[in-house]
Amino acid sequence: QVQVVESGGGLVQAGESLRLSCVTSGSIFSINIMGWYRQAPGKQREWVGTITRGGSTNCADSVKGRFTISRDSAKNTVYLQMGSLKPEDTAVYYCKVVYYGGGTSWGQGTQVTVSS
């Protein structure tokens, strides 16, 4: 089973930036889609954005223009660059991997806290 590990979370002030990383043990070329989700206390898990094997990206309206998804195929890593952070962005951020042809894996999450 492919390992999925998120990192890069922390405590920042509103308006600052943070970059999250998602590292997989498998090949990027075996993956159809990688996505970022987040879950705030007392709320449902929310889709943040995705990147396909071909490099196409989509982000939720709530983060569009502030968050960017990218990847480093040589390192089997996908990034979530978060800018203009708001207190409303406070959540545990999860990486989701959907394998081409079937199968899904989730990371354990990394905490992002944005203070006012």
Side-chain angles (χ1 to χ4, degrees):
Q1 185 174 346
V2 174
Q3 296 183 62
V4 182
V5 181
E6 306 97 333
S7 63
L11 174 63
V12 298
Q13 296 185 75
E16 295 183 341
S17 299
L18 201 62
R19 188 180 75 164
L20 306 183
S21 299
C22 175
V23 181
T24 69
S25 61
S27 172
I28 291 292
F29 298 104
S30 70
I31 298 170
N32 185 20
I33 298 173
M34 292 186 68
W36 286 97
Y37 293 75
R38 66 186 182 185
Q39 188 165 23
K43 297 183 179 180
Q44 296 182 359
R45 189 166 295 186
E46 174 189 24
W47 173 72
V48 176
T50 52
I51 184 167
T52 69
R53 184 169 63 87
S56 298
T57 60
N58 286 293
C59 290
D61 289 341
S62 60
V63 304
K64 193 170 296 182
R66 299 189 298 119
F67 291 11
T68 302
I69 296 175
S70 62
R71 71 184 181 196
D72 185 338
S73 297
K75 297 181 178 180
N76 288 344
T77 302
V78 170
Y79 303 99
L80 181 66
Q81 180 66 49
M82 305 183 294
S84 300
L85 284 164
K86 306 174 181 179
E88 303 93 278
D89 296 318
T90 296
V92 177
Y93 284 71
Y94 298 91
C95 183
K96 178 184 179 181
V97 180
V98 180
Y99 304 103
Y100 195 82
T104 301
S105 295
W106 289 87
Q108 294 299 306
T110 184
Q111 176 71 49
V112 173
T113 303
V114 184
S115 63
S116 300

